[in-house]
Amino acid sequence: MELAFSIANVQAVLEQVTDPEIPVITIRELGVLRDVKIDGDSVEVTVTPTYSGCPAMDVMREDIEKALHEAGIQKVNVKQVLSPAWSTDWISASGRKKLLDYGIAPPPHTSDIRALKGGVPVTVCPQCGSSDTVLVSHFGSTACKALYKCNSCQEPFDLFKCL
Amino acid sequence: MTDKEALFRYAVRMGDNSLVLGHRLSEWCGHGPQLEEDIAQANIALDLIGQARNYLTYAGEIEGNGRSEDALAYLRTDREYLNALITELPKGDYARTIARSFLFDAFHLPLQQALTKSSDERLKGIAEKAVKEVTYHLRHSGEWLVRMGDGTAKSHDLAQDALDDLWRYTGELFIPDETEEMLAKSGVAPKLADIKNEWSATIDRTLKEAELKRPADGWMASGGKKGVHSEHLGPMLAEMQTLQRTFPGAEW
């Protein structure tokens, strides 16, 4: 049987699937999409959660199935893997830029030891670009974000926290 | 006890610790002393409940009788829950919540770190994810304990009283039962004596910074690991399970 779709087709469809809570970034840019396999007429998509309890995961799974079904692919299996564990280092360069444009400061790199050891690396305000910012809380509007305040423009903002 | 039974009990215990503490922390949602703390506790609860889902799903698969994570969470009685007693105690005031979280987090972090080297691939994978989350939990509870201990006379006394009262629930965490002894031999789980050393060092370091006194070891409560619980777990489960007990199989 000749395949009606290729890996490239499937990946193009998955480019439409975005994070339900940060709709500007795709699951590929976020690093959540790990693998795509085609076996006969079925597609297996492997994803990894950002946090164990991330409630967006179930929505992403449904969005992946829906996007592929609409593209005419009926047999879809979304598989979740935990290892290796997702890291903010997997967010792509374009993903980081989109976060910043959306008003969320992108995460420091894990190789910045200050970020892992609890120190506060310089965080730039996504609104005004000032580096005079202060951590309000390690826990923000979702599990993956910390809450900051900018001392220059006085606006609060989210930082995608280092993991 | 067979290897399979031991692994099942261990996965259930890990899941129950996270689920029960996660539920207790979720009780602060809408009641936090300040907005940031309300959000922080809800976030930490979410991490813990997410970990519990991973463990209970795995436990159901090990058992092989088709029980899902939901069946294990919502349809077991208190005698079938294997969490440590410290996780089920009422949330109390904020000093008590922070002191309990600190005592547990300081145990949970080295445990998860050790489990990233487990010979069991599934437990290893769950731990690789959890260890990053628990690092944030311990940082949060530790910072708050220091803030309270080194704060006003009143906050200091509240924190010290909470520590003194909760100390008797810490012994159980480090006394291995048959399950843990079996799994330590096969490299699935760490030796609890090693975890205790790390726990103890974290306690001493943080309490010194917080200007709080380490309580003396005395009589220690135990029983949670084998399903013998305090009077607090039953009412908590009654609330947590009410929807599935009243409308079996309900979904949304």
Side-chain angles (χ1 to χ4, degrees), chain B residues 13 172-181 192-193 225:
Chain B
R13 177 178 302 159
E172 177 186 44
L173 297 171
F174 304 104
I175 301 166
D177 66 354
E178 191 187 347
T179 308
E180 283 155 336
E181 279 174 354
L192 287 176
K225 285 182 179 185

Side-chain angles (χ1 to χ4, degrees), chain A residues 52-102:
Chain A
S52 300
C54 180
M57 222 47 221
D58 293 332
V59 181
M60 285 185 204
R61 178 190 300 265
E62 286 169 17
D63 288 351
I64 290 168
E65 288 171 353
K66 185 160 169 275
L68 291 172
H69 288 163
E70 281 172 2
I73 301 166
Q74 291 313 314
K75 291 186 189 167
V76 179
N77 176 27
V78 182
K79 195 175 91 177
Q80 183 179 303
V81 292
L82 293 174
S83 178
W86 180 83
S87 162
T88 39
D89 293 350
W90 294 356
I91 301 176
S92 70
S94 62
R96 294 175 66 88
K97 167 115 189 8
K98 284 183 183 176
L99 284 177
L100 189 62
D101 293 344
Y102 192 61

Side-chain angles (χ1 to χ4, degrees), chain B residues 15-176:
Chain B
D16 289 349
N17 277 340
S18 289
L19 179 61
V20 171
L21 181 58
H23 188 86
R24 283 299 187 206
L25 295 182
S26 80
E27 292 172 354
W28 281 106
C29 188
H31 302 273
Q34 51 174 244
L35 185 58
E36 288 78 7
E37 281 311 285
D38 202 297
I39 293 168
Q41 295 297 358
N43 267 299
I44 295 167
L46 189 62
D47 286 343
L48 290 169
I49 291 166
Q51 292 162 16
R53 291 185 61 182
N54 290 333
Y55 284 118
L56 294 181
T57 298
Y58 185 36
E61 290 170 20
I62 297 164
E63 187 185 44
N65 291 341
R67 279 206 281 184
S68 66
E69 49 175 312
D70 283 347
L72 285 164
Y74 294 124
L75 302 175
R76 277 182 301 145
T77 64
D78 59 343
R79 290 301 298 267
E80 295 167 286
Y81 264 75
L82 303 179
N83 57 284
L85 297 173
I86 193 168
T87 61
E88 73 200 38
L89 301 172
K91 72 184 198 303
D93 61 19
Y94 209 61
R96 201 177 159 90
T97 278
I98 289 294
R100 182 249 301 273
S101 283
F102 172 69
L103 293 171
F104 182 79
D105 297 344
F107 155 77
H108 200 198
L109 182 59
L111 178 62
Q112 291 289 1
Q113 283 168 336
L115 283 170
T116 64
K117 299 181 190 84
S118 172
S119 60
D120 183 281
E121 283 300 316
R122 193 74 171 270
L123 291 178
K124 183 169 172 281
I126 298 172
E128 282 177 18
K129 187 85 255 169
V131 77
K132 299 182 176 199
E133 297 157 2
V134 178
T135 302
Y136 276 100
H137 302 173
L138 177 59
R139 189 189 299 170
H140 177 261
S141 57
E143 283 176 1
W144 269 91
L145 196 66
V146 170
R147 187 179 299 196
M148 288 176 178
D150 194 16
T152 64
K154 185 177 179 186
S155 71
H156 176 276
D157 290 352
L158 285 170
Q160 187 68 57
D161 286 351
L163 278 177
D164 292 346
D165 193 44
L166 292 166
W167 196 253
R168 77 188 84 155
Y169 296 99
T170 59
E172 177 186 44
L173 297 171
F174 304 104
I175 301 166

Side-chain angles (χ1 to χ4, degrees), chain A residues 1-144:
Chain A
M1 190 188 83
E2 197 179 330
L3 283 178
F5 45 86
S6 65
I7 290 273
N9 292 146
V10 175
Q11 280 169 338
V13 173
L14 294 177
E15 274 301 300
Q16 303 158 21
V17 182
T18 56
D19 182 306
E21 283 170 348
I22 315 168
V24 292
I25 187 168
T26 70
I27 56 171
R28 180 186 57 78
E29 289 170 320
L30 192 57
V32 160
L33 178 61
R34 301 311 300 158
D35 197 18
V36 177
K37 280 199 188 100
I38 297 179
D39 182 16
D41 60 349
S42 72
V43 172
E44 184 181 85
V45 180
T46 305
V47 293
T48 190
T50 54
Y51 279 74
S52 300
C54 180
M57 222 47 221
D58 293 332
V59 181
M60 285 185 204
R61 178 190 300 265
E62 286 169 17
D63 288 351
I64 290 168
E65 288 171 353
K66 185 160 169 275
L68 291 172
H69 288 163
E70 281 172 2
I73 301 166
Q74 291 313 314
K75 291 186 189 167
V76 179
N77 176 27
V78 182
K79 195 175 91 177
Q80 183 179 303
V81 292
L82 293 174
S83 178
W86 180 83
S87 162
T88 39
D89 293 350
W90 294 356
I91 301 176
S92 70
S94 62
R96 294 175 66 88
K97 167 115 189 8
K98 284 183 183 176
L99 284 177
L100 189 62
D101 293 344
Y102 192 61
I104 299 169
H109 201 274
T110 52
S111 63
D112 186 337
I113 198 70
R114 291 168 303 177
L116 273 181
K117 295 287 181 192
V120 184
V122 175
T123 297
V124 175
C125 171
Q127 264 102 231
C128 74
S130 166
S131 51
D132 183 13
T133 60
V134 59
L135 174 71
V136 177
S137 173
H138 284 300
F139 298 89
S141 57
T142 66
C144 52

